[in-house]
Amino acid sequence: MPRTPRGSTARKRRAKMHLFASGARGAYSTLTRVIAQEIAKALASAYRDRARQKRDFRRLWITRINGVIRKNAVLNSFRKNAVLNSYSRFMYNLYKEQLVLNRKMLAQIAISNRNCLYTIYSYFKWELFFKNLRYRNSSEILK
């Protein structure tokens, strides 16, 4: 079997690695072994942080929605028993009414147009109020 010269293949592989590390400084952009280690580390960090980024954005959206809802609850707490003064109750009623708004959209509404979110909030509040009123009147009728 004849001998196969492999220099060109190895050179292409190393050149690809050097392109990946072209912005680095010092040995991180010149030495092949160090570049290989840094590529492995960078790819592992990128994989890990893609999931981390999703978590962080979800937390941010929830915080924004909760802040606007609680602020509205404080401003409109003319009754002692505030119906929807927390994020969890708001989201529960949102799913119960089958409104298709995800957290990202709600957070954007909370930041850009609070009156729209207050409208959704007050809709749930009055729905619950009328529901309680209906049950209260029906129990009085039965007596």
Side-chain angles (χ1 to χ4, degrees), residues 3-38:
R3 177 183 166 275
T4 307
R6 294 222 25 216
S8 61
T9 309
R11 209 171 22 258
K12 285 178 191 172
R13 180 176 51 84
R14 289 189 198 112
K16 236 191 308 188
M17 287 171 46
H18 281 275
L19 282 174
F20 190 90
S22 62
R25 293 179 57 149
Y28 296 106
S29 66
T30 56
L31 301 179
T32 305
R33 190 177 296 174
V34 177
I35 290 172
Q37 292 169 355
E38 286 304 306

Side-chain angles (χ1 to χ4, degrees), residues 76-118:
N76 296 330
S77 60
F78 51 87
R79 294 186 302 155
K80 285 186 178 179
N81 54 350
V83 179
L84 300 166
N85 59 357
S86 73
Y87 166 81
S88 61
R89 290 185 189 138
F90 178 73
M91 292 306 286
Y92 169 73
N93 287 307
L94 199 69
Y95 283 110
K96 193 168 71 174
E97 293 293 324
Q98 295 178 345
L99 289 176
V100 184
L101 291 172
N102 60 17
R103 287 166 183 82
K104 183 178 180 180
M105 290 166 36
L106 285 170
Q108 194 63 37
I109 291 170
I111 295 300
S112 63
N113 190 2
R114 290 188 179 176
N115 291 333
C116 184
L117 193 69
Y118 292 159

